[in-house]
Amino acid sequence: MQTLQTTSLQVRDNQLWILDQQALPQQKNWLPAHSVPQLIEHIHALRVRGAPLIGLSASLLLALLAEQGQTRAELAQALETLRAARPTAVNLMNNLDRMKLALAQPDFAPALAEEAWRLVQEDKQLCDAIADAGCTRVKPGSQLLTHCNTGGLATAGVGTALGVIARAHQQGLIKNVWVDETRPLLQGGRLTAWELGELAIPYTLITDSMAASLMARGEVDAVWVGADRIAGNGDVANKIGTYSLAVLAHYHQIPFYVAAPHTTLDRSCPDGAAIPIEQRAASEVTGVAGSFGSVQWAPEAAKVYNPAFDVTPATLISGWVLDTGVVTPDQVQGGIFQPQ
Ligand code: MRU
């Protein structure tokens, strides 16, 4: 396969490499993701993360394994193992469905390489289209609040919600971005803060608990988040803490936008209650770990609840900003996301 370089994925020497998102921003380490167990371990540890990026990394690895001579049966097994790596983001399943069709081709190795390459190029185009559509909703002088990380690290392109923010900045529309640190794994504090800094976009880091008082002071003009899955009724699964922001935005009458590619839409999922939510290790809540080391502050035996995502009901969302354009609450109520 030809060489590839995105913000957080590389294909070189016919192997896949990932930028370790757990070590950022202190260290920029490219790690091998040369086998299915290796990539799955990276996905579980969130060294590779973000709905679109997980799907792309799995697709690229399958294509590379095919080029290295794995059989159709081995690749079919690998594909199903990768499909189960993270349950909530539907992009992984969507991408692997397309890779499965390529695997059924008589000449499957080149078909897989072409499909993985196409998925990467498409993701870049989807991000650009989301950014263009989203900018129509950003007012000049905006102070926007964002949660988790939805930028170039999480996609092959400019990102989803963060892509909108970056393009709006290019258009001179952004005064400041409030970056939620995003407990427990701190994707906002570590990754979004780093990306915004690299892009020279003015930002201010806050803990998640500070959003309410900022809104009450009139210092948030809109909230922009990504999505891991959009159900047929418009409910959205995204990083834990998203729902709290939506409730706060509703109370303070602030627009709340979800930005995602149309491939994040799961028409077969009737509503948010049907979206599987990943539960994660207690250690992520009892302490913190990263390139800075690890520390535990809670009692060893503390009982912990640690869902990685929550569901925001459609009634709290002002607009679903897709690559195809901005979908309004009326359109969602009218069934635009229902099975066709
Ligand atoms: O657990 P993570 O860091 O993979 O969660 C990421 C999110 O929730 C993002 O908002 C979502 O995947 C969209 S990324 C463009």
Side-chain angles (χ1 to χ4, degrees):
M1 191 186 286
Q2 2 175 4
T3 58
L4 170 77
Q5 176 75 64
T6 74
T7 308
S8 55
L9 290 179
Q10 279 180 351
V11 173
R12 62 179 154 87
D13 308 326
N14 286 320
Q15 300 278 17
L16 180 65
W17 304 80
I18 60 110
L19 180 61
D20 181 356
Q21 297 198 34
Q22 279 300 303
L24 283 173
Q26 286 83 11
Q27 293 167 17
K28 228 178 158 187
N29 299 333
W30 287 91
L31 303 178
H34 298 174
S35 67
V36 171
Q38 228 170 23
L39 180 59
I40 287 182
E41 206 216 311
H42 293 324
I43 292 173
H44 286 168
L46 268 70
R47 294 184 204 109
V48 175
R49 50 149 298 282
L53 194 80
I54 295 169
L56 297 176
S57 63
S59 304
L60 286 166
L61 179 63
L62 279 174
L64 290 163
L65 292 176
E67 281 190 352
Q68 289 158 22
Q70 287 213 357
T71 64
R72 198 192 301 266
E74 286 169 330
L75 291 164
Q77 173 70 53
L79 190 147
E80 295 311 325
T81 310
L82 286 164
R83 189 190 289 278
R86 284 196 85 186
T88 304
V90 77
N91 312 59
L92 174 65
M93 295 70 170
N94 281 342
N95 286 11
L96 290 177
D97 285 345
R98 286 196 27 195
M99 293 300 280
K100 199 169 177 174
L101 292 177
L103 184 58
Q105 300 290 313
D107 206 359
F108 60 85
L112 286 167
E114 269 169 40
E115 193 63 8
W117 193 259
R118 197 172 299 129
L119 284 166
V120 171
Q121 302 313 319
E122 276 179 21
D123 188 64
K124 291 183 191 175
Q125 289 161 5
L126 294 173
C127 288
D128 280 331
I130 293 165
D132 286 339
C135 279
T136 62
R137 296 297 174 112
V138 180
K139 298 198 174 110
S142 278
Q143 298 216 75
L144 305 180
L145 191 151
T146 192
H147 191 65
C148 197
N149 173 267
T150 60
L153 286 167
T155 64
V158 294
T160 57
L162 209 61
V164 173
I165 291 171
R167 189 141 308 165
H169 170 69
Q170 285 168 355
Q171 296 180 6
L173 301 173
I174 302 291
K175 180 176 166 198
N176 177 45
V177 184
W178 297 109
V179 177
D180 246 8
E181 72 173 352
T182 318
R183 274 288 289 155
L185 291 178
L186 309 170
Q187 290 94 328
R190 294 185 300 102
L191 306 176
T192 301
W194 178 73
E195 279 204 69
L196 289 174
E198 294 284 300
L199 295 166
I201 299 175
Y203 72 88
T204 310
L205 183 60
I206 56 170
T207 67
D208 301 353
S209 51
M210 294 168 188
S213 69
L214 279 174
M215 289 183 188
R217 287 160 55 97
E219 299 203 46
V220 179
D221 297 306
V223 178
W224 282 84
V225 297
D228 286 83
R229 197 183 295 224
I230 303 175
N233 72 341
D235 291 353
V236 167
N238 192 50
K239 178 53 51 190
I240 190 77
T242 302
Y243 174 42
S244 336
L245 288 173
V247 172
L248 289 174
H250 185 74
Y251 179 81
H252 292 96
Q253 300 182 318
I254 293 166
F256 182 93
Y257 292 109
V258 173
H262 71 272
T263 46
T264 304
L265 176 59
D266 183 359
R267 293 180 194 275
S268 71
C269 220
D271 54 33
I275 301 176
I277 300 292
E278 176 187 2
Q279 298 288 327
R280 294 188 56 89
S283 56
E284 293 176 351
V285 175
T286 55
V288 69
S291 55
F292 39 79
S294 67
V295 63
Q296 179 176 319
W297 53 72
E300 194 79 49
K303 193 175 162 201
V304 166
Y305 172 61
N306 186 17
F309 303 95
D310 58 25
V311 173
T312 298
T315 47
L316 297 179
I317 298 171
S318 316
W320 293 254
V321 179
L322 309 183
D323 46 286
T324 47
V326 182
V327 177
T328 64
D330 282 348
Q331 288 175 303
V332 169
Q333 271 183 5
I336 197 171
F337 290 158
Q338 300 289 341
Q340 289 166 330

